[in-house]
């Protein structure tokens, strides 16, 4: 399984793109759907033409939620950088670019979204994005123009995602376990549940792990595992 985070200015179509690719609504909260604004991290997965599974972490684009964006982008080794054709490069585009550069993410692609709203601007916006991304790991990343609403360019995008994974190093299953925790909550009868990105290593049932955090330093046991809602050993 590979993990890819979205990045880009608010209202440039990141969640719409993930929804079109995966068939899953990444905006989990009613308030997000009511406002049409991503606030928290969203999660979805798809199977690519190569049969590889790609997991998406969809991040907020609004400046008020940069902290949430960083928590989703931080552990992701690959990024899908989104710029809308009708608006071009914007303020949070620069913020997200700076975060990608600071985190050292050097694998990914650029997607020019909403191409149906401004088809004549696609070449200009792609050139603008490449100029803004110069000096980062995405400077030479492939670029695809799509309309997630109309479906144009989506097949090319799926093939491009596969080619991006071809060039990305797979997670090291033999390394020590490093799992970045996005959420932690309790379920009656099951105990504590955590969700997140497994950056390295291999997890299995009954495994003992060391949990580290700002105010926690404890030994814990894995009682069960799921990947995208499916039980796993």
């Amino acid at each position: 399984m590979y993990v890819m985070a979205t990045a880009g200015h608010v209202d440039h179509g990141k969640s719409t793109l993930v929804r079109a690719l995966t068939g899953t609504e990444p905006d989990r909260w009613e308030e997000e759907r009511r406002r049409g604004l991503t606030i928290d991290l969203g999660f979805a997965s798809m199977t690519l033409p190569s049969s590889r599974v790609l997991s998406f972490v969809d991040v907020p684009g609004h400046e008020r939620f940069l902290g949430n964006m960083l928590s989703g982008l931080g552990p992701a080794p690959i990024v899908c950088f989104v710029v809308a054709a009708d608006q071009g490069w914007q303020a949070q585009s620069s913020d997200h670019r700076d975060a990608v550069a600071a985190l050292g993410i050097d694998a990914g692609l650029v997607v020019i979204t909403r191409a149906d709203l401004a088809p004549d601007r696609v070449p200009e916006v792609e050139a603008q994005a490449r100029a803004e991304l110069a000096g980062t790991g995405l400077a030479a990343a492939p670029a695809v123009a799509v309309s997630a609403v109309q479906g144009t360019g989506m097949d090319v995008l799926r093939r491009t995602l596969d080619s991006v994974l071809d060039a990305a190093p797979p997670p090291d299953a033999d390394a020590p376990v490093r799992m970045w925790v996005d959420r932690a909550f309790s379920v009656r009868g099951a105990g504590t549940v955590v969700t997140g990105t497994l950056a390295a290593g291999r997890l299995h049932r009954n495994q003992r792990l060391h949990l580290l955090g700002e105010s926690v330093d404890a030994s814990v046991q894995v009682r069960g595992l799921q990947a995208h809602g499916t039980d796993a050993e």
Side-chain angles (χ1 to χ4, degrees):
M1 184 181 291
Y2 293 79
V3 177
M4 175 179 287
T6 60
H9 189 77
V10 62
D11 199 30
H12 276 204
K14 297 185 294 299
S15 299
T16 301
L17 182 67
V18 170
R19 190 182 307 116
L21 283 169
T22 67
T24 298
E25 172 59 70
D27 287 336
R28 297 178 290 116
W29 306 113
E30 190 278 332
E31 181 183 359
E32 293 180 303
R33 294 189 288 270
R34 176 170 50 82
R35 297 173 62 184
L37 175 70
T38 299
I39 296 171
D40 204 354
L41 302 179
F43 309 95
S45 68
M46 67 178 296
T47 301
L48 291 168
S50 65
S51 298
R52 286 180 291 204
V53 175
L54 175 61
S55 300
F56 285 97
V57 180
D58 187 40
V59 310
H62 196 281
E63 61 181 340
R64 289 175 52 198
F65 307 114
L66 281 175
N68 285 355
M69 180 276 288
L70 287 168
S71 69
L73 189 62
I78 314 171
V79 66
C80 173
F81 205 104
V82 172
V83 185
D86 58 325
Q87 292 189 7
W89 195 269
Q90 298 289 322
Q92 269 63 66
S93 304
S94 296
D95 290 338
H96 289 209
R97 173 205 58 204
D98 294 346
V100 167
L103 291 164
I105 301 173
D106 57 6
L109 75 164
V110 177
V111 179
I112 310 300
T113 54
R114 307 204 315 213
D116 56 308
L117 300 181
D120 295 340
R121 291 200 63 201
V122 168
E124 171 194 346
V125 172
E126 180 181 341
Q128 183 184 35
R130 292 209 176 279
E132 294 286 352
L133 291 167
T136 74
L138 297 181
V144 182
V146 304
S147 167
V149 174
Q150 294 186 346
T152 53
M154 297 299 289
D155 286 339
V156 175
L157 175 57
R158 293 182 184 95
R159 293 194 297 270
T160 304
L161 287 169
D162 249 334
S163 68
V164 168
L165 297 195
D166 284 338
D172 186 354
D174 297 321
V177 170
R178 292 201 315 280
M179 179 172 173
W180 297 77
V181 177
D182 299 315
R183 295 174 291 157
F185 50 92
S186 295
V187 175
R188 186 183 297 275
T192 300
V193 177
V194 300
T195 73
T197 298
L198 183 63
R202 189 189 306 271
L203 294 171
H204 55 81
R205 293 177 187 270
N206 300 317
Q207 186 174 2
R208 302 296 301 188
L209 299 174
H210 201 80
L211 180 63
L212 291 173
E214 184 177 2
S215 59
V216 63
D217 185 346
S219 176
V220 296
Q221 185 175 7
V222 179
R223 296 168 62 181
L225 291 166
Q226 287 190 348
H228 294 293
T230 302
D231 287 340
E233 291 299 321

